[in-house]
Amino acid sequence: MRVHIGTDHAGMELSSHLINALSANGYEMVDHGPAAYDAEDDYPSFCINAASAVVADQAAGIDALGIVLGGSGNGEQIAANKVKGVRAALAWNLDTAKLAREHNNANVVAVGGRQHTVQEATELIEAFLAEPFSNAERHERRIGKIATYETTGEVAE
């Protein structure tokens, strides 16, 4: 599986760790930056680029997911969710990480690098990456309603 990762200065240490750890576990890691620490950098471009790459890969039939990191993960999730086709979920415990995939078929996970130890964050992300979508009809229906709104602006009943 290809995994796109983007962060800002607050998640750089975690991002570096994840790139190494997940690569060692067989994931193809694609780093969307930043390349160097800058306490004044802005996360939207890094996160949007990572999220856009996930959507492009999935459209091309490539098995891909994304990770966006920051201090809290909140802004990073918001930025990623502005990309059409992205369902980014903020994970703060193992249940939210797994349910994001199982119920919501999330394709990007957001984690706050200042909210967890490196070990905790790694466990959350590994759980997210390993969890399959359930394909349950109710979940597919709900995701379909979100996609309808995203593409048409119409709220489906």
Side-chain angles (χ1 to χ4, degrees):
M1 175 186 294
R2 185 176 294 164
V3 179
H4 296 275
I5 189 167
T7 187
D8 68 359
H9 60 279
M12 283 194 71
E13 179 182 331
L14 177 57
S15 178
S16 177
H17 166 78
L18 289 169
I19 290 167
N20 292 328
L22 295 173
S23 292
N25 288 338
Y27 291 98
E28 178 188 350
M29 300 300 297
V30 181
D31 187 3
H32 293 272
Y37 182 85
D38 176 359
E40 296 296 318
D41 67 9
D42 296 323
Y43 61 83
S45 58
F46 306 120
C47 296
I48 290 169
N49 287 338
S52 296
V54 169
V55 171
D57 275 355
Q58 289 180 337
I62 297 168
D63 188 20
L65 293 172
I67 302 166
V68 293
L69 307 169
S72 70
N74 284 313
E76 295 75 21
Q77 175 200 27
I78 292 167
N81 273 320
K82 298 302 179 185
V83 176
K84 185 177 178 180
V86 167
R87 288 175 308 284
L90 179 65
W92 66 91
N93 62 30
L94 286 175
D95 285 339
T96 59
K98 291 177 182 179
L99 288 171
R101 292 281 307 133
E102 182 184 353
H103 288 188
N104 307 112
N105 201 15
N107 51 6
V108 174
V109 64
V111 173
R114 293 179 177 158
Q115 310 305 309
H116 308 279
T117 66
V118 169
Q119 179 181 347
E120 290 169 345
T122 302
E123 289 172 3
L124 295 177
I125 290 165
E126 287 175 339
F128 175 87
L129 295 174
E131 189 70 30
F133 177 52
S134 71
N135 290 302
E137 187 279 330
R138 72 182 191 277
H139 299 309
E140 288 183 355
R141 182 181 68 243
R142 294 166 185 162
I143 293 165
K145 288 181 177 187
I146 294 167
T148 295
Y149 179 77
E150 183 178 49
T151 56
T152 69
E154 295 178 24
V155 178
E157 294 296 320

